[in-house]
């Protein structure tokens, strides 16, 4: 597998000249083969200029042609070699099984958007016939449709090198909406990004689309990444990563001459409520399943269960005892990047140093590139008094909050920041309490689930992967599922147009 380290712009590739960097092996911190060149501001200008030029043509491509384009990308990714999986394993520390599954998920996600495009549903075409005879005023003829919002900047996620990176959910949704895409490749998996980026470039060529429909840049300075968001031709941003990164982009976007939407997925601790009857009858199974969800993929999921909420009692004591027992057997796991491992240790050490939180279990010892699972506990009153206890620790760390009674549980829920998911573990005897809590849960999270954990996000039309701030910058949207397309659309109304002047997609 040849990696050139080049930028992909305008259907061609060339080496960036603004510095260079190597990919880092997640497990050792050593350098992997190949050097990647950083984009200059001129490269960025060329990519966005071409994207802007492609926009009017691409957004009016027929639905069949656009769907076929998405399917072509899917086909090319499905046919990537095993060498890609080997490279991605080295770059991310993720397992073969996980990455093979994720590559297929990415392929299926593209196919799902192809079907959505074919259906034309997202255009939401409306035809409100005029009536020139209406009194006292004639009724205008109104036609409505959604159009692509414009070129979209995509910042791939480190924790999903396929499904949320170069050809991931944001890119697929933007392309489906009729928007050209400029991707800023994540520095944690540049080799993976190049291979996938070349698949999209090839699909653009084979489908006869304008070359500006897709570009991918590596950057060595934050200045270039920020200039992408500030560029006047970019009309929306898709981002998954840290709260500080998301906030930085929101600020840049808001200060532009023409502010634009930033769809940033940032931090969420995904509370898990274990209701009294579930604790009483099933504490053991729930505790084991909780540790399984917590430690899966070294806990590097935006939906990782970082908070357990339950009412004091024998059931909670037994649950905690079992969870501690299982956590202590957990082997350490390689994290995505040395920086993410460092950030994890920093978060764990901050909570360890908090006199109101107690470390109650930890997994087997780790090295500096690995995640050691850890469990803390605190009282609800202490949790509510210290906002820092809600900080995301990206990895296998969780905090159990002991609530004195139902009203304290409700007070904690009212105190929570916005979340991607809230899971409720309940049995028949818990129905009345669950019903009482539901209105509060709905306003706090984008997805509510029963007797499960938020990890494992189904890619399907009814999925919501989003939630109130700070889980995302805009809780009115989702980044997974067909509804993700609406982030990159804008409604336009055509009043009193002769039919032969109207765009073909509206007829
Ligand atoms: P990140 O540091 O926010 O980076 C994400 C992408 O944005 C990268 O391409 C990065 O560039 C760029 N970026 C970030 N801040 C920027 C800024 N101020 N200016 C310009 N570009 C900026 O996220 P990460 O490296 O994936 O992980 C770091 C932390 O983010 C984790 O420890 C975790 O806490 C959180 N995270 C959360 C989720 C989630 O789904 N909730 C997922 C992944 C990570 P470079 O490539 O040059 O660094």
């Amino acid at each position: 597998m040849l990696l050139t380290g080049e930028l992909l712009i305008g259907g061609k590739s060339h080496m960036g000249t603004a510095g260079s960097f190597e990919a880092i092996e997640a497990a050792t911190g050593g350098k992997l083969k190949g050097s990647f060149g950083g984009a200059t501001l001129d490269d960025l200008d060329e990519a966005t200029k071409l994207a802007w030029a492609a926009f009017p043509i691409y957004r009016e491509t027929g639905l069949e042609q656009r769907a076929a384009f998405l399917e072509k990308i899917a086909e090319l990714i499905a046919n990537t070699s095993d060498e890609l999986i080997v490279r991605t394993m080295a770059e991310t520390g993720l397992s073969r099984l996980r990455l093979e599954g994720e590559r297929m998920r990415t392929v299926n996600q593209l196919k799902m958007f192809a079907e959505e495009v074919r259906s034309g549903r997202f255009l939401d075409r409306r035809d409100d016939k005029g009536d020139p005879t209406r009194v006292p005023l004639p009724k205008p003829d109104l036609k409505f449709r959604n159009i692509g919002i414009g070129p979209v900047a995509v910042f791939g996620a480190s924790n999903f090198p396929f499904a949320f990176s170069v050809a991931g959910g944001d890119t697929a949704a933007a392309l489906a909406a009729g928007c050209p895409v400029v991707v800023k490749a994540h520095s944690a998996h540049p080799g993976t990004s190049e291979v996938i980026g070349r698949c999209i470039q090839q699909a653009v060529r084979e489908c006869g689309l304008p070359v500006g429909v897709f570009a991918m840049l590596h950057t060595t300075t934050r200045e270039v990444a920020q200039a992408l968001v500030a560029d006047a031709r970019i009309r929306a941003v898709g981002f998954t990563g840290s709260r500080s990164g998301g906030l930085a982009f929101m600020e840049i976007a808001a200060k532009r001459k023409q502010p634009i939407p930033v769809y940033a997925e940032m931090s969420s601790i995904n509370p898990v409520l274990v209701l009294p009857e579930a604790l009483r009858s099933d504490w053991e199974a729930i505790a084991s399943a909780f540790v399984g969800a917590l430690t899966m993929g070294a806990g590097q999921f935006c939906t990782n269960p970082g908070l357990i909420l339950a009412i004091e009692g024998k059931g909670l004591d037994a649950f905690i005892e079992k969870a501690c027992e299982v956590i202590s057997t957990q082997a350490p796991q390689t994290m995505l990047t040395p920086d993410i491992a460092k950030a994890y240790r920093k978060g764990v050490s901050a909570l360890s140093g908090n006199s109101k939180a107690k470390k109650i279990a930890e997994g087997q010892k780790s090295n500096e590139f690995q995640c050691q699972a850890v469990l803390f506990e605190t009282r609800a009153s202490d949790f509510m008094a210290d906002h820092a206890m809600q900080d995301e620790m990206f990895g296998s760390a969780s905090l159990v909050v002991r609530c004195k009674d139902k009203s304290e549980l409700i007070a904690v829920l009212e105190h929570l920041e916005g979340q991607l998911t809230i899971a409720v573990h309940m049995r028949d005897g818990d129905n009345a309490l669950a019903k009482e809590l539901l209105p509060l849960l709905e306003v706090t999270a984008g997805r509510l689930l029963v007797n499960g954990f938020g990890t494992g996000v189904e890619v399907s039309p009814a999925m919501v992967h989003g939630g109130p701030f700070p889980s995302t910058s805009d809780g009115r949207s989702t980044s997974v599922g067909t509804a993700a397309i609406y982030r990159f659309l804008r409604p336009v109304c055509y009043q009193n147009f002769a039919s032969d002047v109207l765009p073909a997609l509206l007829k």
Side-chain angles (χ1 to χ4, degrees):
M1 190 179 67
L2 177 71
L3 289 178
T4 64
E6 292 174 329
L7 311 173
L8 309 179
I9 302 174
K12 302 185 201 138
S13 60
H14 72 268
M15 197 64 180
T17 54
S20 66
F21 67 98
E22 283 91 20
I24 300 297
E25 186 174 35
T28 63
K31 288 179 178 171
L32 289 166
K33 262 200 206 149
S35 175
F36 298 83
T40 61
L41 289 172
D42 284 344
D43 293 322
L44 171 65
D45 191 58
E46 191 194 350
T48 59
K49 214 181 259 169
L50 287 168
W52 186 249
F55 178 47
I57 305 159
Y58 181 58
R59 72 165 189 261
E60 294 303 332
T61 47
L63 298 181
E64 183 50 45
Q65 190 187 358
R66 206 186 300 173
F69 168 50
L70 293 168
E71 284 166 348
K72 176 52 77 177
I73 303 173
E75 179 196 320
L76 293 170
I77 292 176
N79 290 338
T80 49
S81 68
D82 188 62
E83 279 176 280
L84 171 62
I85 297 289
V86 172
R87 173 77 190 196
T88 312
M89 285 165 69
E91 289 187 335
T92 63
L94 296 172
S95 71
R96 168 178 287 280
L97 194 68
R98 152 74 193 269
L99 290 172
E100 284 176 349
E102 194 187 319
R103 179 166 60 178
M104 271 328 284
R105 173 183 158 159
T106 310
V107 165
N108 291 333
Q109 191 163 255
L110 284 156
K111 288 183 181 167
M112 178 189 76
F113 278 110
E115 275 315 302
E116 184 65 15
V117 167
R118 227 171 239 124
S119 77
R121 268 191 302 266
F122 69 102
L123 294 171
D124 194 7
R125 287 175 281 214
R126 300 171 195 200
D127 187 358
D128 206 354
K129 294 255 182 292
D131 179 4
T133 64
R134 190 181 73 173
V135 285
L137 289 173
K139 179 171 181 278
D141 183 78
L142 300 175
K143 294 195 170 28
F144 173 111
R145 71 157 176 170
N146 286 322
I147 67 165
I149 195 169
V152 175
V154 170
F155 290 81
S158 55
N159 57 341
F160 280 91
F162 295 129
F164 260 83
S165 194
V166 177
D170 287 342
T171 298
L175 291 176
C179 303
V181 168
V182 180
V183 171
K184 194 301 233 180
H186 200 296
S187 55
H189 52 265
T192 307
S193 298
E194 177 174 335
V195 175
I196 300 293
R198 286 192 186 278
C199 290
I200 306 181
Q201 219 178 25
Q202 185 181 338
V204 169
R205 199 167 46 242
E206 288 187 22
C207 295
L209 294 169
V211 291
V213 165
F214 174 76
M216 190 194 82
L217 310 172
H218 297 292
T219 63
T220 49
T221 67
R222 296 227 140 156
E223 184 200 357
V224 175
Q226 294 175 3
L228 175 59
V229 176
D231 190 295
R233 301 172 198 111
I234 292 295
R235 296 303 163 91
V237 177
F239 167 91
T240 306
S242 62
R243 190 156 167 172
S244 60
L247 289 176
F249 290 142
M250 284 167 72
E251 194 180 332
I252 294 167
K255 283 187 178 154
R256 288 167 44 127
K257 205 163 163 189
Q258 182 185 8
I260 53 168
V262 174
Y263 297 102
E265 188 190 316
M266 298 172 287
S267 64
S268 179
I269 52 174
N270 309 297
V272 175
L273 278 66
V274 193
L275 300 188
E277 187 54 32
L279 269 183
R280 198 193 60 75
S281 58
D282 259 335
W283 50 269
E284 194 166 15
I286 300 169
S288 297
F290 155 64
V291 178
L294 178 69
T295 53
M296 188 166 54
Q300 302 165 118
F301 289 105
C302 35
T303 47
N304 196 47
L307 195 70
I308 297 281
L309 304 177
I311 296 172
E312 293 272 24
K314 277 193 198 143
L316 179 57
D317 293 341
F319 170 90
I320 290 176
E321 197 182 323
K322 180 67 187 175
C324 289
E325 179 197 316
V326 186
I327 281 194
S328 64
T329 65
Q330 298 300 304
Q333 295 177 62
T334 300
M335 298 199 83
L336 291 158
T337 69
D339 280 348
I340 286 179
K342 204 192 283 174
Y344 175 69
R345 279 196 300 280
K346 197 172 158 200
V348 168
S349 127
L351 197 54
S352 305
N354 187 325
S355 62
K356 303 289 184 189
K358 185 170 156 206
K359 192 193 279 184
I360 49 175
E362 55 187 10
Q364 293 163 11
K365 285 258 167 297
S366 61
N367 69 27
E368 63 181 302
F369 305 112
Q370 294 174 320
C371 173
Q372 180 185 25
V374 54
L375 188 62
F376 294 90
E377 71 168 24
T378 190
R379 287 185 311 197
S381 52
D382 292 328
F383 179 78
M384 288 186 283
D386 184 354
H387 200 271
M389 285 205 207
Q390 292 198 46
D391 288 350
E392 181 189 53
M393 290 177 282
F394 194 65
S396 303
S398 195
L399 172 65
V400 180
V401 177
R402 289 177 173 272
C403 304
K404 277 195 307 234
D405 49 26
K406 183 178 89 178
S407 45
E408 203 169 45
L409 174 66
I410 290 173
V412 170
L413 287 171
E414 281 171 343
H415 173 76
L416 285 178
E417 292 190 316
Q419 307 292 334
L420 290 172
T421 70
I422 297 182
V424 184
H425 284 263
M426 54 184 286
R427 298 296 178 265
D428 284 350
D430 293 316
N431 284 6
L433 177 56
K435 201 167 175 190
E436 188 180 342
L437 298 178
L438 187 58
L440 195 47
L441 306 186
E442 283 170 344
V443 296
T444 310
R447 178 161 60 109
L448 309 174
L449 54 141
V450 167
N451 294 335
F453 297 90
T455 41
V457 180
E458 183 73 23
V459 179
S460 100
M463 177 49 67
V464 173
H465 190 63
F469 184 88
S471 64
T472 72
S473 52
D474 189 338
R476 292 168 299 174
S477 63
T478 172
S479 60
V480 177
T482 46
I485 197 172
Y486 294 104
R487 296 172 302 162
F488 304 122
L489 291 167
R490 189 173 68 77
V492 178
C493 172
Y494 305 80
Q495 183 166 336
N496 291 338
F497 270 62
S499 140
D500 57 352
V501 185
L502 285 170
L505 282 179
L506 191 50
K507 283 184 207 163

